[in-house]
Each structure stands twice: as C-alpha cells, then as structure tokens.
C-alpha cells in the first residue's frame, strides 16, 4: 500500500486532464497512488464534436471513456467511471453513497475537485458538492459503508475554465515544470478538444509567471516555470510558515 | 549568516508576543534569525495601567522597551524600536523609508505583520500598510537604500484581538506545541497585561483544536496541541499539495 | 421572424410586471419579440387577498392567469404558464427540461430572470437557478430537445422587492422613460396588489434619479427620467466603452 | 398562552445545547415559551462514541433522545424530534411541510437555527435552509396548513463549531451571565461529549470578553461576563439606536 | 447632565438633516442630549446653487451655517462647526485631535457618522475615518486631552445618497414615524436643496415599508410607518434577542 | 473640438500601453480625442533594467518619457507627464488639484485608470484614488479651477498584472481585434520590457476567447478575436439591455 493517496473527483471524463494533470503526475512521480473518479463521461455536455459527427450516445460514452483512460494511463493514475449521466448531473443520495465507498476504499491524503461556483456549467459545482458531502459522510463512524472512518484530508479546488467568473482566486501555485511534458502528453490523448492543448499550455505558462513572482527570494526558478493554480477549502496545517 | 531570516513588523511593543511568539520561537529553535521591528512602544494606546499609576511618558516608554526586549530575549529574537509615536501612529514616507532600510538589511524569507482591518485600533492597519509598502519599495532596484533589492518574501498576517470583526479567517494553522512553554514565558515578561496570559493561552488551545480538526489523516497529534492562526496576503508557492 | 427575441423567466404570474415591464415594453416598441414564461401562477404565495376572500385554488389560478395575460397584452408580449405549483416551487429535472424546450424555441438574444438570493421568497432563486441551468443545457448539442443549440445570450437579473437584503446592486440602469406609461398600465392590470402600483412608480423615479446621476456628460436627460435596475451574470461584451 | 414564544430548529439532538442554551434559558427565565425542534437525533454523524461502543441504531437514537430531552428539561424548554435521519439529512418538501406545521402551532416571536454555511457538516445548512423555507411558507395565507399565517419573526443564526470557516461573524453578543450555570447543567446532560463542556465554557468566556469590549459606557459588567454570539438574517427593527 | 448623549459627526453642514434627523429627533424627544459636529460647511461641494447665484466663499459659509443651525434648532440639537474646508476634506492629525476633544466633552452613548465607502463623495468616508479614529484615541487613558477616557459607544452609519453603490445594506431599521413631521420641518430649513425634501420623504416611506415587512408578529404598525436605515460597525450587545 | 474625449490616468509611463492601448486605439480610430496622463515616469519602480545598466535618474526619466511618447504617438493619443515621483507615489492635494485641472480641460466622456487594489504595487491604487478624487472635485461648481464643472463620465478600471490577486473580475470585455496590430506596435515602443510583449499578446488572446464565449448568439466572431478586460466603478446607463 502506497502512502499519501490522491483522489481526484470530477464531473466529466476530461476535466482532470486540463485542470489537475500536473498535480497527478507529480504524485505518481513521487511513487504515490493517484485515483481519478469521473462521475460521468461528459457525453452530452462536453462532446459537441462527436454529436455533430453523428455518433450515438453509446459510441460517445465509449469514446470518452477510452480517451480519459488513455490520459490517466499517461499520468500513471487509476481511473473509475460512475456513469451517472451528465447535463444535467443529478445530485442524489445514491450517487453520494457511491462516492463515500470510494473514499473509504482509497482513504486519500489529498482530495481535488471542482470549485463550488461555475455559471457556465452547473455539473461542475454539483460534482463538487457531492464530493464534499461524501467526504464528510465518510468521516462518520456511524455511516454504513465498509472500511475505516476517514481522517480529514485537505481539499483543493482546481482551476475552472473561466476563473474570474467562478470567483476562483489562485491561493496555491503548484510548480509542475518537472512534469509538464507528461501533462501535455495526457492532453494530447483528447484529440476532439485540440484547441484546449494550447489554451492550457498558455495557462500553465501564465501561472508559472505568477509562481515566480510570488516565490520567496533565492529560489532560482527557471524562465520556463509552469504552474497549476488551486484554492483551499480548509485552512492549511503546518509546522513551518513559508 | 543564518538562512531564512524572519522579520516581524508590529505597531506596538507587545504585539509580537501575544500574536506571533510561537512562530518566532519555532524559527529560532530551527537556528534561524528572527528580528522584531516595533514601530512604537505603545506608550499611549496600550499602557493604560502605567498612566493610571501616574508614570510619565518617558518612564512608560522605558518600561515598555524593557518588557518587550525581555520577551524578545526569551524567544531568541533581535528587537529594534523606531519610536515613531503611537495613538495615532502617523503614516509618513520617512517612516516607510526607515522600514525599507530594515528590509534591505535583514533580507527576510518570511514577513509577519498585522492584518489590514481593525476597527478597534487604527495603528495596527497603519503599521501593516507601511510594512507592505516598504516591502514593495525594497524590491525595486531603483529605490535609494543600501543593500540588494529584495526578493518576494511571503507575508503572513498574525491574529488580531477580535478576529471576526477584523475579517480575519484562519488560513494557516501553525503547530506551536513544541514551543508553547517558551511563548508563555515571553508573555509573562509583560506583567501589566496579566489577563492576556490566560486569554492567549486559551486562544492557543482553541486554534490547536482546529488544527487537529483540519489535519490530514494519521497525524497522531497530541490532545494538547497548541496553535497560532495566520492569513496569507500572497498565494502559496509549493511543489507538493498538502 | 423578428430579431433579438427577449425571454423573461419568472417564478410567479405577476413578477415580470413590477420588475421588468419597462425592458419588455422597450423591446416590443423596437419591434422585437418578447416572451414571458411564468413557472407558476403564484396561487399560494402571492394571492393572499384572494384566499382571504374565500376563493378556491382553481379560481385563484384562473384569476392570476387572466391578470397576467392582460398585463402581457398591454406590453405587447407573449406569455406562457407552466403551472408548476408555487410555495414551494420544486426544482425538478422535468421542469428544467420544459424550460430548455422554451429556450430552443425562442432562441433569445437576452434573458431576464430573478436574482439568485432572496431571503423573503425561496421560489424566486429556485426559478432563477432553473432558468440558468436550462440555458446552459440548451447550449449543448448533445442535449435531447428540438431546435438548434443555443448561443450565449446575456442574462440580466431584475430587481427584487427588498434589493439590499438580496445583495442586489444596480449594475445597469435602463432608461424606461419613454415606456413608463405602458408599464403603469400593465401594473394596473393587477388590481389585487394596488399598493404596488405606487411602490414601483416611486422605485422607477428613484432609479431614474440614479440614472441621471450616473449618466455621462451632455445627455440632457429630463427631470422625470424613470429607470429600472438590473444586474449582469456574465461580463458585458462590447466594441465601445461607454 | 405565554407571550413571545421562541422556536429553535436544529439538525441534530445536541446542537441546541452547545450553541443556544443561553438564549433558551434567558427566555424561559422570563416566563416565555421555548420549543426546540430537532430534525434528527444525530444518530450517525454525532454519535461516534456510541458506535465505537457497539450500540445499534435504535439504541443510539434512544440514547440521544433521552439526553437531549434531559437537557431541554434543565432549560425549561419543550422538545420535539422529527427523526428525519441524519448524515445525510435529506431536504424534502414533506419535511419542510412538517416544519411549517410546527411554525403555525408555535407562532414564534423569535427563531434560532444554524447558519447557512458549514464546510464541516452539510446537515447544518440543510436544516437551516428548511427552517427558513418553512418560515416563509408558513407566512402565506394560501399554504395549506392549520393555524393562522405567520408574522415575520426575526431569525438568528447561532454559532457553529468552527465559526471563521463558516463565515460566521458575531453580530449580536447576548449576555448569558445570569443563566450560565443552567447552560452548564444542560451541557452536562450530554456525557458522551464531555470535552465539549469545557470547550463551550471557554467560548462563552471569550464571547463575554468581546461583549464587555463592545458594550457602551457605564454598563459596569462583571469580570465574569459570559456570552453567546449570533448573526441576524434580517434587519433589526427598533425604536431606539443602542 | 442628561443621560445617553448622542453625537453625530458629518462632513458637511446638511448631511445630518437628510440622513439622521429622525434619530436625532427621537433622542431629544426622550429628553436626551444630541450634538451635531459638522467638520465643514459644505461650502464648495454641496452649494452649487449658491455658487451659480454668484455668492462668494464667506457668504456661502454663512448661509450654510445659518441653515444648518436652524435645522438643528428644529430638532432640539446642539451644533458645532469645525470649518475644516471641504472638497477636499483633508485628513490631518490636528483635525482628528479636535474631534477627540469633542468626544471627551460629550462622552456619547451613541455615535452616528457616514459609512466608509462612497464613490460619489470622498469627503464622506474621510469624515467617517476621522470620526472612528478619534473615537479610539479618546478611549486611551494615555491620550493627552481633557476629560475621562471614553467608554465604547456603538457606532451607526447613516444612509448615503446612493446606498447600493456605497455597499450600504440596512441592518437596523429605525421607526421614526412619531417624529417624521419634525424631520420634514428640519429639511425645510435647507431651501437650496428643495428637491431633496421629497426625495428623503420618499426614502423614509420606503424604509418604513421594509420596517413593517421585517417587524415581528403582532406589532400593529400603521400604514404610514416612516423609517431610517443604519448599519452597525460593532456587534450589538444585548440581554434579549429580538 | 472632437466628441467623446477619452482620458487615461496612470501611475507610470508604460501602464497605459499594456493595459489600455486597445481602448485608446479604438477611440482614435473613431476620430475621438484620447489623452494619457502619466503621474510619474516609473523611474524607480519600473525601470530595473536601466538602473542595472548604470543609468542615472535623469537619464531614466528621459528614456521612459521618450518611449511612452512614442507609444502614445503610435496610438494617436496625446500624452502629458506630471513627474510626481514614483516608488512611492505620494498622495497630495496639490497633485490632485493638478489632475482636476486636466479633467476640466479635457472634459472627458470616459475615464480609464488602475483598479483600487494591488498588493504588488501601491503606486497603482494611489494613482486610482487620486484620479477618482479629482473627478469628483472637478464636478463641483465651487471648486476653484478654470473651465466648466464636469459631468459624470463613467470610469473603467483596466486590468492589473495579477488580476485575481487584485480582486479584478472582467465585467466588460472589449473587442480590440481591429486595432490589435496597433497595440502590438505601441508595446514594441517599450524595448526594456520585451517579455511583456508576448505576455500581453497572450492575455489579449485569453480575453478574446472569453469574449467569444460570452458574446450573444449569431455574432460570428473570428477565431482570432482579441480582447481587453475592464471593470466599472459606476452602474452602466443604457437604453437597451444587451
């Protein structure tokens, strides 16, 4: 059993690639377990190209599953799909319960999910609410699910597509320079959204510039520093201010 | 020259003891330099007992200086007083310039100061504004002061006396259990404010309870965990989400 | 087919009159289509007078329907009622789906609805959440409903009854002077709420005063300028700053 | 019939004791009716000790019911349990309807409930949303439930366990010094959470210190002033500024 | 010496009439002392009509002084002018010191001033900052001014001209029905701003409607209830939740 | 005299190029007057490269003046320098008065300046505060400066370098596609900050993507849409919701 498992909970099949592939690749590069839980395939809301090409629902689900699994493979992460149906992603206690079971099985040290506000996509906050709800339920000894009651893993929100409109303010800038090539390869597993490859490469540069601007003295970060931005839901616990 | 110098900028002589003694003691325990810069002695605004006892202005300044120096000594920190006059602490470019010189001399890795809002004490945000302004000026090559241009040390706001009314929300919970006895001894160097000793001991317990509640799984923190709370002004820069 | 259709989605039968009749009348005066979609008749929550008069549920629904249809007629707008039941207005995916169908049929250029916060009436934010959710679903090629996928029409929140308690801050002040008489006539189609006629006339004056105060130079607005206030959910897109 | 009935709506059996026992005891000491409505027993989410001791669901419910009833007895308050099931507490229109009936029966002058944000416990905001929704429904003449339509009783949010993380800012500091012994006795009716007795005694001291700090001149409050903190949802209505 | 003195600190000569005359009249009707402190006459910023009529600076000051004194007389309040110069009102430690002396002389139980944000008039927040700063200085035993150190009188912000743009949210609705005629007479002492008489009468009606809407049950408020809105800077201290 | 003059007030010589060159070029392309007012040359705070190259203060000022004048020339705008001294830019009533005179001379229809928050550069909010203060003073008939009293031109805040940390949320997305080449040429007049050319080209692309995402239906915007983002200080006044 590896230490410090990472659990990433996303609404659709591709979300984890654009927004958190750097964090995932860093974790697996450190030898830690990383598991991606996709609540849906994004078959209706994020597959416009396939629909326009005339594919049917089952074909699109299969396509998205394969692409996402390939991306997870590149990142060295496990992936599981709950196929809960998107657009809209319905919040139900049954789905929350299934997520509780995943928490109890993985026992994560860190959790990543969507932020709670997104006026462009209601599935994203719905996924986040369920991810957070399930985390609290999984902490209760009295909740009826296998495994030990969860600890209190910190939760990070990854960056949405239109950050300012989602009240997303970078609170943590993660240096992903060492794994950016891997993130790019994972992005390239999603050919239907090719315009996103450059968009998220540009974003990584932008967050890298900010990372250098906010780094303390003497860090000697390279010109090509790449970053991912996150928010925290809970306070940071630490033994050193830095 | 030691690594990672810590610079604490406070409005009055006693502020650093109640609010940041834990962080200071942790730094000096790690062998790092810590310097406290008191802009005033708090001779008018925070010395009611001495005024009621009939002491005059010079006596009160001397009293406060001695007490604060003793507390700094217990914490293993240097201390400097700018004697800028309190209640009100005036914001001037001359005073900001003196603070720039301190930044250039210390070249801190971490800066601690008051938060920017305090409806109970206008000296506190005035000190914070000058501390932040001087930090940015010290970063400019073109600013006329000795020493190298500063890097970008992170800034943490320590906890005010009435946190909720100052929009203070704990973002970082610092585990000060290992140095709490030292903090208590430093507090006891300020005999005029004896009711504060227990008040800030209770607060350390309260923040310790929250620290345990937010710590990730498997940390095994002791029942008697003590904490100090901080806010960040700038995003955290890191290589690991935790 | 007229250009620039306007779609107004409200919880109860009368909401569109008090809060958006000016915008509707301006649109129809320009020759544009305007459609009002009332999710309910407001039969339980906004018909106190009729209940006190001893009318039954069906009578009250019919009464409200007639009044609202008359007001829409005065404004030159179409009106449709979904009769989803108020107090409480339940959020269901079936109701959202019906709203998606309306979006696909109207293909609006502008959407008006309630703001997202109202501690005095939970039906209002429920209607707004469904209106916003349906708008995003209607944009997805993969969503199963007739018609073309929607573009991205801007959304404006009209003014609630207690604006400050609903976090409503006027971001757009619409000059309705030229159609205020029509708005007044539409209001007078709702006799059970006669005290509202003057209340919303006074509000139009108040917003008119603010409109003049914020208008740029040289506009020469008349003393009797009348206004309606709106908030935007999404950024304004423009070719001219003004 | 006593004047000024107080209605306290909480998610779990013990919430009212830690957070509002002072306000309840003050009301009953004035001879006013106080009723506590517990939506659940907190059998899953707040009974870890009993689960670890091997008790079953029915035993735990019975245990919690007895403890909470004892605490209510000490405070001189009525108590009713809806047994709606916790962790998760489901929001349903049936449950809201049951709460409406309680409002119509009690016709409260003041309502206390949880705040709307709590990232540590989703049952708390769910209870608050239902309490607020039911209050508005109970005000409607057209809502089908026995009794007169409700007036507009003010709503106060009591203090959550981690106030700063719940955006809780003390807006009203209630002096509970005269009834603190009663609150302590009520807390001691909940033996499974003994660490909370001191925690909430310390909090009452802390709020008491703030109360004295914010009290106007000449009040002569004793050193041992104890307090409870509340937020308001609606504006205060008054004839005197004080 | 009367109990409960009220101190109103405003930037210009007329501010207290439009925004706080109701609170002042209520205080003097209860036999309490009320003192208005006008930092300036509003000779440049709020006297457009007189400038357009060709009057000079001294004439305008005299005019404004007479009008404001008349209005204060109608309200039964004392009035003092510091003639500090408006547009811009400069923040200086000398002016703050003069305000400290007034605090020490009046020893107010309640303080009224402008809110801290006003993008339409920078003099208003400047006056408020000085009023708040002086209040804290006057509390310090060590501050060199005659009289006893101040207690902690609550501070209320009165309503600005464009409340929503000043982040003004009514937190306290004061029933001024019984003294509204007096307020109207005080307003009529300011003939140059006749359009304001009706504007602030309409506002009083509007706040009265909200007051009734938020009043608890059974209050039996008359149809013609008039109100003034205020915000609090500090938490309310009370022995009864209501 | 041309219609609709644009006034841009910035702290340092280069600010207007990176952040508002698109808006300026659009205005001059429409034949409107545009004037840039630089409060300082940015000689200390934004000229690191020149200081490192050993230039002295006068040389650097001259260098910055020439570059900025060249950029203004490319944009077809007038430029004026107040040489008030940067790092720190001091807020004085004399400087505000000079800005009032510019307002009275230009009589702008639109004003652009920095946002009010910037923890990376205190000169920026200082410039903004003075720009806003001077605008209000210039509106007063009684303010002693030549020219007519100003109307109420809308104010737009241009985008700071680290938008999220400055609480900058795009509220207006301006389509600058047609003038982007001109903006690029203006940027290239500032050779010392060559890394900024690409940075702000990337930002224009990013804002262009968002612009397309938020544009209403049927706009047919090209793939290469470029944008600038702005915030409004005052409500928009309009006759059409769009």
């Amino acid at each position: 059993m590896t230490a410090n498992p990472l659990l990433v909970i996303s609404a659709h099949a591709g979300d984890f690639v654009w927004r958190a592939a750097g964090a995932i690749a860093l974790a697996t590069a450190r030898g830690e377990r990383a598991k991606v839980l996709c609540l849906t395939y994004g078959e209706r809301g994020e597959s416009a190209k396939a629909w326009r090409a005339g594919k049917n629902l089952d074909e699109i689900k299969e396509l998205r599953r394969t692409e996402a699994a390939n991306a997870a493979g590149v990142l060295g992460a496990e992936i599981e799909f709950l196929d809960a149906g998107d657009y809209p992603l319905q919040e139900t206690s049954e789905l929350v319960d299934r997520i509780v079971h995943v928490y109890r099985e993985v026992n994560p040290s860190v959790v990543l999910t969507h932020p709670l506000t997104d006026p462009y996509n209601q599935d994203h906050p719905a996924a986040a609410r369920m991810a957070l709800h399930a985390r609290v339920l999984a902490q209760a000894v009295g909740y009826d699910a296998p495994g030990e009651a969860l600890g209190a893993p910190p939760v990070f929100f990854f960056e949405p597509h239109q950050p300012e409109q989602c009240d997303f303010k970078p609170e943590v800038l993660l240096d992903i320079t060492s794994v950016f090539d891997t993130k790019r390869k994972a992005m390239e597993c999603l050919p239907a959204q090719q315009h996103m490859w450059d968009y998220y490469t540009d974003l990584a540069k932008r967050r890298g510039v900010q990372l250098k601007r906010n780094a303390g003295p003497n860090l000697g970060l390279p010109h090509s520093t790449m970053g991912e931005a996150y928010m925290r839901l809970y306070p940071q616990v630490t033994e050193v201010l830095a």
Side-chain angles (χ1 to χ4, degrees), chain A residues 20 31 39 59 75 113 117 132 135 137 155 177 210 212 222-223 238 241:
Chain A
L39 305 189
E59 290 168 335
L75 299 172
T113 191
T117 300
L132 296 177
R135 174 183 167 280
L137 297 179
V155 175
T177 313
Q210 293 177 335
K212 281 185 290 179
H223 179 63
T238 186
L241 294 181

Side-chain angles (χ1 to χ4, degrees), chain A residues 8 10 12-24 46 64 67-68 71 75 114 124 158-161 176 180 183-204 207 227-230:
Chain A
V8 183
S10 72
H12 310 106
D15 295 333
F16 74 95
V17 184
W18 317 115
R19 288 154 197 157
I24 297 168
E46 313 211 329
R64 299 281 296 176
E67 290 175 3
L75 299 172
H114 299 270
H124 293 164
F158 43 66
E159 180 163 355
H161 199 59
I176 63 165
F180 184 76
K183 175 167 184 171
R184 178 79 192 198
K185 284 198 197 80
M187 293 198 286
E188 293 175 1
C189 294
L190 283 66
Q193 293 164 287
Q194 192 163 346
H195 61 287
M196 300 280 265
W197 304 352
D198 283 349
Y199 186 86
Y200 278 92
T201 299
D202 283 350
L203 181 62
R207 296 306 178 203
E228 273 176 356
Y230 292 88

Side-chain angles (χ1 to χ4, degrees), chain A residues 174-177 180 201 204-205 207-208 211 224-228:
Chain A
L174 181 69
D175 189 336
I176 63 165
T177 313
F180 184 76
T201 299
K205 271 189 218 162
R207 296 306 178 203
L211 191 156
S224 59
T225 299
M226 305 296 264
E228 273 176 356

Side-chain angles (χ1 to χ4, degrees), chain A residues 24-214:
Chain A
I24 297 168
L26 283 171
T28 57
R30 285 190 304 262
E32 297 165 5
R33 178 183 181 190
K35 170 154 190 174
V36 176
L37 182 69
C38 296
L39 305 189
T40 80
Y41 295 111
E43 62 271 15
R44 295 195 182 278
E46 313 211 329
S47 306
K49 198 171 180 176
W51 286 101
R52 290 215 179 83
K55 293 194 192 301
N56 67 29
L57 187 62
D58 284 343
E59 290 168 335
I60 291 172
K61 285 185 177 183
E62 182 56 31
L63 183 71
R64 299 281 296 176
R65 164 190 272 278
T66 303
E67 290 175 3
N70 289 345
V74 166
L75 299 172
E78 302 165 39
I79 191 163
E80 181 178 349
F81 303 90
L82 295 189
D83 193 14
D86 78 332
Y87 262 60
L89 170 58
Q90 308 273 4
E91 287 180 78
T92 65
S93 52
E94 290 71 26
L95 185 49
V96 170
D97 182 64
R98 293 176 67 188
I99 305 173
V100 174
H101 283 70
V102 175
Y103 271 107
R104 287 276 179 91
E105 186 272 322
V106 176
N107 193 18
S109 287
V110 175
V111 177
L112 311 184
T113 191
H114 299 270
L116 289 164
T117 300
D118 191 337
Y120 297 95
N121 193 318
Q122 286 82 359
D123 285 3
H124 293 164
R129 283 190 299 266
M130 287 189 283
L132 296 177
H133 202 165
R135 174 183 167 280
V136 167
L137 297 179
Q139 292 179 313
V141 177
Y143 191 89
D144 188 17
E148 289 297 302
L150 205 69
V155 175
F156 295 87
F157 297 130
F158 43 66
E159 180 163 355
H161 199 59
Q162 303 231 28
E164 295 97 344
Q165 305 303 323
C166 300
D167 300 329
F168 184 88
K169 182 173 178 169
E171 293 178 346
V172 181
L173 292 166
L174 181 69
D175 189 336
I176 63 165
T177 313
S178 66
V179 297
F180 184 76
D181 287 349
T182 307
K183 175 167 184 171
R184 178 79 192 198
K185 284 198 197 80
M187 293 198 286
E188 293 175 1
C189 294
L190 283 66
Q193 293 164 287
Q194 192 163 346
H195 61 287
M196 300 280 265
W197 304 352
D198 283 349
Y199 186 86
Y200 278 92
T201 299
D202 283 350
L203 181 62
K205 271 189 218 162
R206 180 175 172 80
R207 296 306 178 203
V209 168
Q210 293 177 335
L211 191 156
K212 281 185 290 179
R213 182 67 184 76
N214 287 291

